Amino acid sequence: LELLAETALAEDCIQRIKKVYDQYARFVCLEDDLFILSEVPNNQDGTFLALNKTSCTEEDILGTTGFIVDSLYSVFATLGSVPIIRCSKFNAAEAVAKDLDGRFRDSLRDSRNTLFSGMEHRTFGENGKSSALSPFSFQRPLLIILDRGLDMATPLHHAWTYQSLLHDLVGIHLNHIDMASQSVPGRLEEGPREGQTKRYDLSAATDRLWRTHRASPFSEVA
């Protein structure tokens, strides 16, 4: 923003700027109590492989951890709260925690920054409704950062719940799935032809079946 202001002054075009929006949108809220970080640019392998592959350079590690820090900072800038940070030691999680702590400290030192001072601290209440706490409230969120290497078994488990099986077999991306249409002999249907795909949205707010049975064993759903 400072660079934008200096350039606008140098080019004498301030009168053309009416408003500047400072947005922190490096995360995606999938549910009322679940968010994910945006995908790392130019990285199709995921953060775990990017941080642990043998060909990984220091520049790659700094770029990946920096993106994670920016994404987590976006979450708490949106909430307007400074979290209590806890992390595992001697791995990438500690590096992320230290960098994120530095970002918060720099923001709090800057008197011009109003992200965490002089404003209401927003929280997410029931049914997705936001509530507000006093700016001087002692209630702060707890951020626990762990390295995936601490528990390698869990990602390899394939649970028999409706949601996990659907993700394994079809693939869920940003709360929707793409299904290939199939024709039924002797039946005329309106919609996409065979071979085309149709998108289905999986929303716990509007889909009663998904909300009720997504965590149920597939035997109960069937």
Side-chain angles (χ1 to χ4, degrees), residues 1 11-12 29 32 36 49 66 71 74 101 105 126 130 147 153 161 166 181 213 220:
L1 290 178
E11 299 295 333
D12 193 21
C29 240
D32 294 342
I36 62 173
L49 181 58
S71 301
S74 296
D101 178 70
R105 291 180 185 275
E126 297 181 356
S130 61
D147 192 275
T161 61
L166 187 62
S181 60
H213 295 293
E220 295 181 9

Side-chain angles (χ1 to χ4, degrees), residues 5-66:
E6 292 176 359
T7 306
L9 281 172
E11 299 295 333
D12 193 21
C13 60
I14 291 182
Q15 63 276 8
R16 299 184 181 181
I17 301 176
K18 290 191 127 182
K19 188 178 290 187
V20 176
Y21 292 93
D22 195 4
Q23 295 182 333
Y24 296 87
R26 285 196 170 181
F27 69 99
V28 179
C29 240
L30 298 179
E31 300 175 10
D32 294 342
D33 55 355
L34 174 66
F35 71 88
I36 62 173
L37 306 184
S38 300
E39 297 180 356
V40 181
N42 303 322
N43 180 17
Q44 304 298 324
D45 299 328
T47 56
F48 180 76
L49 181 58
L51 292 172
N52 293 276
K53 60 184 179 181
T54 55
S55 60
C56 184
T57 63
E58 184 177 358
E59 183 179 355
D60 296 334
I61 294 177
L62 293 177
T64 303
T65 56

Side-chain angles (χ1 to χ4, degrees), residues 22-25 27 70-83 103-104 107 113-116 119-120 122:
D22 195 4
Q23 295 182 333
Y24 296 87
F27 69 99
D70 290 341
S71 301
L72 291 175
Y73 185 84
S74 296
V75 173
F76 292 100
T78 302
L79 290 174
S81 299
V82 178
R103 285 287 299 275
F104 285 124
S107 297
N113 193 327
T114 59
L115 289 174
F116 307 106
M119 65 180 295
E120 292 182 339
R122 296 176 294 279

